[in-house]
Amino acid sequence: MAKQPNPARRSQRSRQAILTAARELVSEVGYAKLTIEAIATRAGVGKQTIYRWWPSKGAVVLDAFLALSESGPDQDMALPDTGDLKADLRVVMRATVAEFADPAFEGPIRALNTEIINDPALAAQYREKLAGPVDEAKKARLRSAQRAGQLPPDADLDLALELLYGPFYQRWLLRSGPLTPQYADALVDAFLKAMRPDIGGSAH
Amino acid sequence: MAKQPNPARRSQRSRQAILTAARELVSEVGYAKLTIEAIATRAGVGKQTIYRWWPSKGAVVLDAFLALSESGPDQDMALPDTGDLKADLRVVMRATVAEFADPAFEGPIRALNTEIINDPALAAQYREKLAGPVDEAKKARLRSAQRAGQLPPDADLDLALELLYGPFYQRWLLRSGPLTPQYADALVDAFLKAMRPDIGGSAH
């Protein structure tokens, strides 16, 4: 009798096949039409194998995205820090805007966002596992700017991230305007102005 | 034989009953579990009556919201204009934030947004019939501020609205922070700073 393959290794292979299938299918058919059955067929496993590891379709899709971000080294999350805050943020926002203008990239993330918007438990997982660490990396760059005297030391960094990314998030989700490099630059410029300390002379 | 009721009036009554049922049910059970059948039952009409007027569940729900905003006079959309831009925007943003912090109010709008995010055709209808006119009313207030010299004459008003509402939209959709009067005020302050003309001295 032939030696059995290592069960842990086989398990790991199945897990990877499921996550890859979920990612491919959510891009191909969209989240609404994605089924656990289709993921199982594409991955070459039984439906029960998927349900043993994940409670829901949303949980599989979230882990499929997490597996993507885990594939690179941790430093991937860090923002560039050349000392020039404006230039660094333009690089980051131009790259972000370009990614979300690409249907192949943004499709699965749109699907995931739809679930997160409607499922507070999935939203909490998403914040803990993905959005939280990414936001920390962004705040690390803003803190560096604070130490360099380029942002006020008492700036609310949660609000700061919302000011920079919120307008873009809305435009992307609602498809309400073009996602261009010029738009990325305009967001960075507006953000830096909004973050300037109030030097008297209110705007009203 | 008794005289038939006026068919146009009966039709109008059915239409109102359907829209009211759709609004009630989307709040009670959420958009995902809402069915045309349940709307028909609640409204006391046949499913075919609904399908005669609307192609989809999303279309009924959108019209249910439109009917709400049509019930008041046009001036309801106008923003306050006391001449004090900061004070007026604080009133508007505090009211907006309070509305979206109320589960009964925000539930149906969250459901509608989910559909809009995933259905470009519904998004176009929503922009044309609801978001567009509302944005025009907001821009009218900003144009008044431009005439009063409180905002730069060349300001991009589409970007301006995104700067003011985008951060709030993101926080609301992702439930990523508290929706408080203080938050509303912080958004207005950041917006007014972002809109100031660039008077030399870049922020980097």
Side-chain angles (χ1 to χ4, degrees), chain A residues 159 162-163 194, chain B residues 89 93 97 163-169 171 179-193:
Chain A
L159 181 64
E162 272 181 4
L163 292 172
Chain B
L89 291 181
M93 293 309 290
V97 161
L163 293 172
L164 184 56
Y165 285 91
F168 158 72
Y169 184 73
R171 179 178 286 213
L179 300 177
T180 60
Q182 291 72 32
Y183 178 60
D185 293 352
L187 288 180
V188 172
D189 292 353
F191 167 75
L192 290 173
K193 285 204 275 179

Side-chain angles (χ1 to χ4, degrees), chain A residues 16-186:
Chain A
Q16 282 307 328
I18 290 163
L19 295 178
T20 301
R23 223 162 30 230
E24 289 174 359
L25 283 166
V26 86
S27 299
E28 291 168 24
V29 305
Y31 186 88
K33 290 183 183 159
L34 179 69
T35 61
I36 292 284
E37 192 149 20
I39 298 172
T41 303
R42 170 83 54 109
V45 303
K47 275 168 69 172
Q48 286 316 310
T49 303
I50 299 183
Y51 282 121
R52 199 183 313 143
W53 288 326
W54 292 278
S56 68
K57 185 170 85 168
V60 184
V61 171
L62 178 58
D63 268 357
F65 282 94
L66 290 173
L68 265 189
S69 62
E70 281 162 9
S71 61
D74 275 6
Q75 290 93 308
D76 273 358
M77 272 193 194
L79 270 58
D81 191 349
T82 66
D84 183 339
L85 179 61
K86 186 176 192 167
D88 290 349
L89 290 181
R90 282 188 167 200
V91 167
V92 169
M93 292 310 289
R94 281 176 172 233
T96 303
V97 161
E99 279 179 343
F100 282 78
D102 173 0
F105 177 89
E106 71 94 45
I109 299 178
R110 182 176 293 273
L112 183 62
N113 268 272
T114 306
E115 292 310 297
I116 286 165
I117 289 165
N118 285 291
D119 181 344
L122 190 65
Q125 274 189 57
Y126 169 76
R127 250 198 312 280
E128 181 195 329
K129 293 186 178 178
L130 193 54
V134 169
D135 281 354
E136 273 313 307
K138 293 170 183 168
K139 284 188 207 168
R141 179 65 189 87
L142 299 184
R143 281 194 203 97
S144 165
Q146 287 178 309
R147 285 191 298 273
Q150 296 158 341
L151 290 179
D154 60 347
D156 176 340
L157 297 187
D158 288 306
L159 181 64
L161 288 186
E162 272 181 4
L163 292 172
L164 185 56
Y165 285 91
F168 158 73
Y169 184 73
Q170 182 186 42
R171 178 177 287 213
W172 166 60
L173 274 186
L174 298 181
R175 300 182 175 90
S176 50
L179 300 176
T180 60
Q182 291 72 32
Y183 179 60
D185 292 352

Side-chain angles (χ1 to χ4, degrees), chain B:
Chain B
M1 198 176 147
K3 204 178 160 203
Q4 285 285 320
N6 179 330
R9 197 179 305 157
R10 203 177 55 181
S11 188
Q12 183 55 24
R13 262 207 310 272
S14 295
R15 199 183 137 80
Q16 283 306 328
I18 291 163
L19 296 178
T20 301
R23 221 158 36 227
E24 290 174 0
L25 283 166
V26 85
S27 299
E28 291 168 24
V29 305
Y31 186 88
K33 289 183 184 159
L34 180 69
T35 62
I36 292 284
E37 193 149 20
I39 298 172
T41 304
R42 170 82 56 109
V45 304
K47 274 168 71 173
Q48 286 316 311
T49 303
I50 299 183
Y51 281 121
R52 199 182 313 142
W53 289 325
W54 292 278
S56 68
K57 186 170 85 166
V60 184
V61 171
L62 178 57
D63 268 358
F65 282 94
L66 290 173
L68 264 189
S69 62
E70 281 161 9
S71 61
D74 275 7
Q75 290 92 309
D76 273 358
M77 272 191 193
L79 269 57
D81 191 350
T82 66
D84 183 339
L85 179 61
K86 186 176 190 167
D88 290 348
L89 291 181
R90 283 187 168 201
V91 167
V92 170
M93 293 309 290
R94 281 176 172 232
T96 304
V97 161
E99 278 180 344
F100 283 78
D102 173 0
F105 177 89
E106 71 94 44
I109 299 179
R110 182 176 294 272
L112 182 62
N113 267 273
T114 305
E115 293 309 297
I116 286 165
I117 289 165
N118 285 290
D119 182 343
L122 190 66
Q125 275 189 57
Y126 169 77
R127 250 199 311 279
E128 182 194 329
K129 294 185 179 179
L130 193 54
V134 169
D135 280 354
E136 273 312 308
K138 293 170 183 168
K139 284 187 208 169
R141 180 65 189 88
L142 299 185
R143 281 193 203 99
S144 164
Q146 286 178 311
R147 285 190 299 273
Q150 296 157 340
L151 291 179
D154 60 346
D156 176 340
L157 297 187
D158 288 306
L159 181 64
L161 288 186
E162 270 180 5
L163 293 172
L164 184 56
Y165 285 91
F168 158 72
Y169 184 73
Q170 182 186 42
R171 179 178 286 213
W172 167 60
L173 274 186
L174 298 181
R175 302 182 176 89
S176 48
L179 300 177
T180 60
Q182 291 72 32
Y183 178 60
D185 293 352
L187 288 180
V188 172
D189 292 353
F191 167 75
L192 290 173
K193 285 204 275 179
M195 296 301 290
R196 286 188 297 196
D198 211 334
I199 40 162
S202 128
H204 75 92

